[in-house]
Amino acid sequence: MKKIIDKKSLGVNVKKQRQMQQITVEKLSEKTGISTSHIKNIESASTSPSAEALVHIANALGVSLDVLLEDSLTGEAGRQARMGEYAMLMDDCTEDELRIATRTMETLLRELRKCREKQKDER
């Protein structure tokens, strides 16, 4: 059976979420009942967590599984995971920051779409 979970991205996402919340590996270990060495191995992509361990980690970090697995999800599930990540990034923004972020995203998307059209025309 083909492996579909991107272990490296999963590890990066676990570590990123843990660090964003200023939680040490030791504290995450206490909250989950998972050994510190296993958490470090998950974060470094040396091992894959069981589904049960992954749920414990997600619960301890207060995030949904799709946040941790977003790079392994495809189609609409992957799209929804990324949209959730964007929402989390904007969660503590002020109104001014949201306005600036929205304008920046609009400009970025406009330029990306121009590039996409240009590439299509060149083919």
Side-chain angles (χ1 to χ4, degrees):
M1 182 155 116
K2 182 182 169 195
K3 297 255 182 195
I4 59 168
I5 292 179
D6 183 339
K7 288 191 316 185
K8 184 174 173 102
S9 292
L10 170 62
V12 166
N13 291 339
V14 169
K15 187 173 186 174
K16 179 175 82 172
Q17 290 298 320
R18 180 180 61 72
Q19 290 177 334
M20 281 174 45
Q21 297 177 43
Q22 299 178 339
I23 297 173
T24 64
V25 171
E26 291 75 17
K27 185 67 175 172
L28 185 58
S29 174
E30 287 174 27
K31 292 174 103 175
T32 60
I34 299 169
S35 71
T36 56
S37 61
H38 191 49
I39 291 170
K40 288 177 184 178
N41 286 336
I42 291 167
E43 289 184 350
S44 67
S46 299
T47 189
S48 294
S50 66
E52 185 175 321
L54 198 52
V55 170
H56 283 300
I57 291 169
N59 286 337
L61 295 172
V63 299
S64 62
L65 287 171
D66 60 339
V67 169
L68 301 179
L69 293 169
E70 72 175 323
D71 297 315
S72 298
L73 300 173
T74 60
E76 187 59 24
R79 178 181 170 84
Q80 290 301 316
R82 280 180 279 292
M83 296 299 285
E85 184 175 11
Y86 300 148
M88 283 176 43
L89 287 169
M90 304 299 213
D91 192 44
D92 65 344
C93 289
T94 65
E95 286 299 317
D96 285 340
E97 291 169 336
L98 285 172
R99 227 179 330 279
I100 292 166
T102 300
R103 284 192 209 121
T104 302
M105 182 65 84
E106 288 168 346
T107 302
L108 176 62
L109 289 172
R110 196 169 32 254
E111 293 303 314
L112 287 170
R113 288 175 181 144
K114 282 181 190 176
C115 288
R116 183 174 55 197
E117 288 301 314
K118 186 177 177 181
Q119 286 176 341
K120 246 195 253 183
D121 291 344
E122 290 173 355
R123 289 182 200 166

